[in-house]
Amino acid sequence: MISGNSIVALSSGRLPAGVAVIRISGPQSRFVVETIAGSKVKDRIAAYRQFRAPDGSVLDSGLIVFFAGPNSFTGEDIAEFHVHGGRAVVAKMLEEIAGFDGVRHAEPGEFTRRAFLNGKVDLVETEALADLVNAETEAQRRFAVQNAEGVQSELYLAWRRRLIHARAMIEAEIDFADEDDVPGSVSETVWLDVRAMIGEIERHVQGFRAAEIIRDGFEVVILGAPNAGKSSLFNALARREAAIVTEEPGTTRDLLEVVLDLEGMRVRVTDTAGMRETPGRIEAIGIEKARSKAGTADLLLVLEDLAEPVPICAIPGDVPMLRVGTKVDLLKDESATLARRYDAVISTRDGTGLAELLAEIGRRAAAQIGQAGDILPSRLRHVELLNETNRFLVAAVAGDERAQELRSEELRLAADRLGRIVGAIDVEDMLDVIFAQFCIGK
């Protein structure tokens, strides 16, 4: 696809900064570069230039790098101006570049959208680029890099190729059953492979929860009676006074959340209202929120004050849980005996047990994520299309009494759904949604 106009945007981080990168892509890129830089620049070689506006006034000085299409990120002529990262400098550069005929400011994700439309990346790789830009932890970075390199796309395309081959064999048997070069009963081998693929896709889809944890975080919810030390633990984990801590019961009435990075994994910890049987009206709303949040958690930390343990009821039985005894610093003589009744005993006052508790949370998060090299579905969109794929495959293999033509059509529909994941077919209605998640300069 050849665009009729060029787009320009700041592609680096928040200003002010030491260096800012302004990117332009499209057919006017070379003319803009040669006008502002004052001379021709060699392809793929950084050159130091003084940048001037068309009227000859100096804008800044810095590096210019030019990439001729189609050997560029977008597949078009593309250039980057590396300028000083002051707000006024960047604003003036963007103003002058956008002032050229046929050049306009880019929309969110438009550079990557052009790369997709020009066949430089597929949809799965495009989504991985968005994840890479937004990655905050090492696990997120590794996951995004793996998908951006195409391993996830290759898995889906391999399944699609197998289905296309299977359909070709079935139709060959239908049309040329009396020919010597078409082996008889080829469909038996085909349907065995399709059944195997159903299992492969099912196992792959089951990994979506691990992908959600990598992208969104491992969900930890702190529960306990009032004054069990929930907010004190929350503050200790956050390493700041994120929650109000008093001796008055019912201080915490809403959900408070902090995000931790544990050994490269994103962990979201939520503090909740103290759970008791006779709360006030507003406090009861907080307790109900706590119970609802607990039901969707990956791990519950159920806290009890070791000096005055008050058990709580209505804990979701299907959510993994750690029983944590708090304020152990007040009961040093009995701590060894008490430790046997809990999964962990801690003191937020002197730090006892906190490192061990964090290590256990990290271990459980790592166990949920699984092996770093696993290929996982990274979007709900992928899961929905994979489930549709399997429904067509199940219908195909279950239809032993149906005409082969109808079963072959089920294979075509299944291959179609796999093609939609990577953007090989019928994706125009999804593009605006997908590219809207990108920043302007990407």
Side-chain angles (χ1 to χ4, degrees):
M1 184 198 78
I2 300 177
S3 302
N5 53 30
S6 298
I7 54 175
V8 62
L10 173 67
S11 290
S12 52
R14 181 178 301 176
L15 302 176
V19 176
V21 179
I22 296 172
R23 176 185 284 173
I24 179 172
S25 177
Q28 288 79 18
S29 297
R30 185 180 291 277
F31 176 73
V32 171
V33 167
E34 293 177 353
T35 302
I36 291 180
S39 62
K40 292 184 178 180
V41 293
K42 294 181 179 180
D43 187 17
R44 296 178 175 272
I45 296 179
Y48 179 79
R49 292 285 190 274
Q50 188 176 66
F51 302 139
R52 293 179 178 271
D55 64 5
S57 61
V58 176
L59 299 171
D60 193 18
S61 57
L63 296 179
I64 179 70
V65 188
F66 182 80
F67 304 88
N71 298 317
S72 69
F73 171 65
T74 62
E76 305 172 328
D77 285 352
I78 190 169
E80 292 180 353
F81 295 90
H82 295 232
V83 300
H84 293 93
R87 291 188 177 90
V89 173
V90 171
K92 188 61 176 176
M93 286 288 295
L94 290 172
E95 178 187 337
E96 292 296 335
I97 295 172
F100 283 80
D101 288 341
V103 182
R104 61 173 175 80
H105 292 285
E107 298 175 358
E110 193 167 3
F111 287 94
T112 308
R113 183 170 187 151
R114 291 189 178 199
F116 167 72
L117 294 175
N118 287 323
K120 307 300 288 188
V121 292
D122 63 32
L123 273 187
V124 174
E125 292 166 344
T126 293
E127 291 165 329
L129 287 174
D131 287 342
L132 192 57
V133 170
N134 295 321
E136 296 177 341
T137 67
E138 176 60 15
Q140 290 173 334
R141 185 198 64 81
R142 289 197 305 266
F143 185 54
V145 166
Q146 183 184 47
N147 290 336
E149 290 178 343
V151 294
Q152 191 180 356
S153 298
E154 180 53 37
L155 176 64
Y156 301 150
L157 290 173
W159 281 336
R160 186 167 183 255
R161 287 192 294 268
R162 283 165 64 183
L163 290 181
I164 291 172
H165 174 75
R167 186 178 172 218
M169 292 297 98
I170 293 297
E171 294 189 357
E173 187 176 85
I174 294 171
D175 296 336
F176 306 107
D178 56 344
E179 299 290 336
D180 293 338
D181 56 350
V182 177
S185 301
V186 69
S187 61
E188 293 181 11
T189 302
V190 167
W191 297 124
L192 282 174
D193 187 54
V194 171
R195 287 187 178 91
M197 192 183 304
I198 291 172
E200 293 170 21
I201 293 175
E202 286 177 348
R203 289 189 292 274
H204 179 67
V205 168
Q206 288 170 2
F208 181 57
R209 180 58 192 144
E212 282 187 308
I213 291 174
I214 293 172
R215 295 181 68 246
D216 301 329
F218 184 74
E219 190 83 43
V220 178
V221 174
I222 303 174
L223 297 178
N227 287 341
K230 299 184 302 302
S231 295
S232 294
L233 174 59
F234 182 76
N235 288 341
L237 297 178
R239 297 185 180 180
R240 59 185 174 87
E241 294 299 314
I244 298 172
V245 178
T246 72
E247 294 182 359
E248 179 183 345
T251 302
T252 302
R253 298 188 176 187
D254 208 345
L255 303 179
L256 300 176
E257 182 178 284
V258 67
V259 177
L260 308 179
D261 185 339
L262 294 184
E263 300 296 329
M265 295 170 291
R266 191 171 195 260
V267 176
R268 298 206 317 266
V269 180
T270 302
D271 186 21
T272 63
M275 303 180 74
R276 56 178 173 173
E277 295 300 323
T278 57
R281 185 171 60 87
I282 296 177
E283 192 181 349
I285 297 173
I287 292 174
E288 185 56 37
K289 285 186 177 181
R291 287 177 175 149
S292 176
K293 187 72 172 177
T296 61
D298 297 303
L299 177 65
L300 300 179
L301 301 183
V302 181
L303 273 57
E304 286 186 8
D305 183 342
L306 291 171
E308 300 179 36
V310 178
I312 59 173
C313 57
I315 302 174
D318 56 344
V319 179
M321 175 177 60
L322 287 176
R323 290 176 54 82
V324 180
T326 64
K327 308 178 186 179
V328 69
D329 57 293
L330 302 179
L331 299 168
K332 286 293 186 183
D333 296 337
E334 305 173 53
S335 59
T337 303
L338 293 170
R340 291 194 291 269
R341 295 164 44 191
Y342 296 90
D343 299 304
V345 291
I346 63 169
S347 168
T348 57
R349 179 166 294 180
D350 62 18
T352 299
L354 291 180
E356 291 79 5
L357 179 60
L358 278 172
E360 179 62 16
I361 294 172
R363 187 191 67 77
R364 295 197 178 215
Q368 285 287 318
I369 291 173
Q371 298 299 317
D374 290 348
I375 302 174
L376 308 173
S378 55
R379 290 288 193 282
L380 181 60
R381 177 181 76 86
H382 305 168
V383 172
E384 291 172 345
L385 288 168
L386 288 167
N387 284 333
E388 286 185 33
T389 299
N390 254 6
R391 282 196 290 272
F392 288 121
L393 295 182
V394 169
V397 298
D400 292 339
E401 304 302 322
R402 297 165 62 197
Q404 293 282 56
E405 291 88 344
L406 296 178
R407 301 175 73 187
S408 175
E409 177 63 9
E410 301 283 7
L411 296 182
R412 185 192 70 79
L413 293 171
D416 172 89
R417 295 317 187 266
L418 291 172
R420 293 186 185 190
I421 297 177
V422 297
I425 50 174
D426 192 25
V427 296
E428 188 63 32
D429 56 338
M430 295 186 295
L431 295 186
D432 290 340
V433 174
I434 290 172
F435 290 106
Q437 65 189 297
F438 283 81
C439 56
I440 293 291
K442 190 65 179 172

